[in-house]
Amino acid sequence: MLMFSRKAASGPSGSRRWPRTLQLALVALLVIVLVPAVSLAKSLTAPSTDPLAARAAEWARGHGLGFLITAAEELSYRMSPPKSGGQPDPSLLRPAASQPRTPGDARSVLHASLRTIASPSLPGEGVFRTVVSGRRGPAVQLAYLRPDRVHTSYLAAVMVMDPGLIRFVQHPGYAEPGRLQLWSQPDLVAQPDRGHLAATFNGGFKLGDAQGGYYADGHTVGTLRPGAASLVITRDGRLNVGSWADEVGMTSQVVSVRQNLRMLIDHGRQAADVAANAHSPWGATVKNADYVWRSGVGVDTQGNVISVLGPALSARSLAEILLDAGAARAMELDINPIWTSAMWYSHPSGGGVLAHKVLPFQRPADRYLSPTSRDFIAAYRR
C-alpha cells in the first residue's frame, strides 16, 4: 500500500492558520456588511410615521446609494406610466354650491372658474367650491380639472387660500430639517391649534436636494441661496413666494423661509426651460417632462395663495395650472408620491377635527396630526 503524507499548514496545536492578509480582508468584509446592516436596521425600526419603503429609500440616499433608488424609481415609471384616456372620478367634480356675497366684501366672491384643458369639459370641472369658510367669506376654495388632453382619467386639485382669512405657519419635520430643539413650532399640528386648522400641504425636497435652506426662529439649516425659489412667511401670517435676495429677502418681519430649487413661474411667466426633458432643475429622480405626482405653490397679485397637487403632472403642466389659477410667482414643492399631500379640515359640531384629502394620495389624511419626518405648511383660520 502506498501512503502519501501531506504537511499540514498548522500551528503547534495543529489548527489551520489563515494568512494575516486574508484575516484582515475578512474583518473588513464583515465591517462593510454588518455596519450598514446595523445602520439600516436602526433606520427601519426607529419610531417613524413613514412607510418602510420610504425609510429604506431615505437611508440608501443618505449612504451614497441614491443612484440605485433613482434608477429603480425611473424604471418603475417607465414600466407603468400614467395611462392615457379614460374618465376621472366624477364624485370630485360635483358642481359648486352657490356662495353668498357679503355686502361690501369682494373676497366673499368665489374664485373664477379655471380654463379647462381637456375637451369637452366635464360638469363641475374647473369650478371652485368653498371647503373652509372664514368670517367674511371663503377662506379655502377647491377645484379640480384634468391636467392635459392625454391623461384624462386623472385630476389635479387646486386650492386657493385667502390671506385675509388664513394665517400660514411653517412646521419642521423631525428628519427634515430635523434639530427640533431649534424650532418654536412642533413637527405636527398641536392639539390646541387644531380648532383653527383649515388646510395643510407638503414642503419641498430634502434639503440636500433642494439647493437651498430652511430658516425659522433665527436658525438656518442648509444655506439660504440667492436666486433660489423661496416660500416666505412673515409675522402677520402671510405667505409669499419669490426669488431669494431679489423678490424676497431677510427682514425683521420674516419668521420662516423654505427654499426649493428655482422659480417655476416668475413675473407671470413660466421658466424658459420648464418643458425640457431633463433631470434638472425640477427633479433628480424623474425628468421634467415625466408625468408623476407633483406639487407646487404660488401667489397671485392680490396675495392669494394657490396650492396645486396632482398624480400625472409634468413640470410644464404644473406650471400651466398654477398660471391659469392666477399665480404670478410659483415654485415646485416635492414630487414623490410618498411625500406629496394636501388636505383641508372640517370641524364637527361635537368637537374634534376631520382631515380631508384633496386627492387619493398614499399618505393618510391625518398625516400632519402626528409627528412627521418632513416639514409642511399649515393654514389656520384667523
Side-chain angles (χ1 to χ4, degrees):
M1 177 183 295
L2 295 175
M3 298 184 63
F4 296 90
S5 65
R6 183 175 59 184
K7 192 172 185 179
S10 62
S13 63
S15 61
R16 186 178 181 89
R17 291 177 64 94
W18 291 354
R20 183 169 179 79
T21 53
L22 181 57
Q23 294 179 44
L24 293 174
L26 288 171
V27 170
L29 180 61
L30 286 173
V31 170
I32 291 171
V33 172
L34 291 178
V35 170
V38 171
S39 173
L40 176 59
K42 286 183 178 179
S43 176
L44 295 180
T45 57
S48 175
T49 56
D50 296 335
L52 281 176
R55 282 182 264 173
E58 295 295 278
W59 178 89
R61 291 188 187 282
H63 288 79
L65 300 176
F67 67 96
L68 292 177
I69 303 303
T70 296
E73 290 181 347
E74 187 158 357
L75 177 62
S76 175
Y77 174 81
R78 302 302 167 202
M79 292 181 67
S80 58
K83 68 178 183 179
S84 300
Q87 294 289 314
D89 179 1
S91 67
L92 295 174
L93 293 174
R94 59 183 181 272
S98 60
Q99 178 67 34
R101 179 193 295 266
T102 302
D105 187 0
R107 287 177 303 194
S108 66
V109 179
L110 281 172
H111 191 284
S113 296
L114 299 172
R115 173 184 66 90
T116 56
I117 302 168
S119 61
S121 61
L122 301 174
E125 185 176 9
V127 179
F128 281 91
R129 62 188 177 94
T130 300
V131 292
V132 179
S133 296
R135 295 177 180 177
R136 300 186 305 276
V140 180
Q141 301 178 46
L142 179 61
Y144 296 95
L145 79 164
R146 292 167 292 173
D148 56 50
R149 295 178 177 87
V150 175
H151 304 99
T152 54
S153 64
Y154 301 92
L155 292 171
V158 183
M159 279 199 303
V160 175
M161 292 160 276
D162 185 336
L165 305 175
I166 293 290
R167 63 179 179 87
F168 295 89
V169 174
Q170 177 175 285
H171 286 268
Y174 59 76
E176 291 289 327
R179 308 182 193 184
L180 292 181
Q181 72 278 6
L182 296 179
W183 321 116
S184 59
Q185 294 295 335
D187 57 352
L188 78 167
V189 176
Q191 189 69 45
D193 298 325
R194 294 178 186 178
H196 300 284
L197 185 60
T200 53
F201 56 89
N202 59 271
F205 291 1
K206 292 185 67 174
L207 290 173
D209 301 319
Q211 304 170 24
Y214 179 106
Y215 168 86
D217 301 301
H219 303 284
T220 304
V221 175
T223 302
L224 294 179
R225 181 176 61 84
S230 304
L231 184 159
V232 177
I233 297 176
T234 48
R235 295 189 186 281
D236 59 2
R238 290 179 177 261
L239 186 155
N240 198 3
V241 173
S243 175
W244 189 253
D246 179 14
E247 296 157 323
V248 294
M250 189 59 67
T251 71
S252 61
Q253 296 304 305
V254 171
V255 295
S256 64
V257 180
R258 180 42 153 117
Q259 294 188 325
N260 200 56
L261 311 177
R262 60 183 177 83
M263 297 294 287
L264 186 63
I265 297 171
D266 207 358
H267 302 288
R269 307 179 79 172
Q270 298 180 33
D273 58 350
V274 71
N277 191 26
H279 281 292
S280 61
W282 292 289
T285 300
V286 294
K287 298 176 181 179
N288 297 349
D290 288 346
Y291 296 89
V292 296
W293 278 96
R294 293 184 192 263
S295 60
V297 64
V299 292
D300 65 16
T301 54
Q302 286 74 46
N304 294 303
V305 176
I306 303 164
S307 168
V308 173
L309 175 73
L313 294 173
S314 66
R316 182 177 184 176
S317 59
L318 172 63
E320 288 177 345
I321 292 172
L322 282 160
L323 271 174
D324 287 346
R329 299 183 303 281
M331 60 191 285
E332 186 181 71
L333 296 175
D334 217 329
I335 69 172
N336 191 298
I338 293 176
W339 306 118
T340 51
S341 57
M343 288 76 79
W344 60 275
Y345 300 84
S346 60
H347 303 269
S349 57
V353 58
L354 292 178
H356 307 270
K357 293 183 179 185
V358 299
L359 286 169
F361 46 80
Q362 285 190 18
R363 304 306 289 270
D366 59 356
R367 171 184 178 184
Y368 298 129
L369 301 184
S370 55
T372 182
S373 63
R374 296 285 192 95
D375 59 283
F376 66 97
I377 303 299
Y380 298 92
R381 289 180 300 176
R382 291 185 183 273

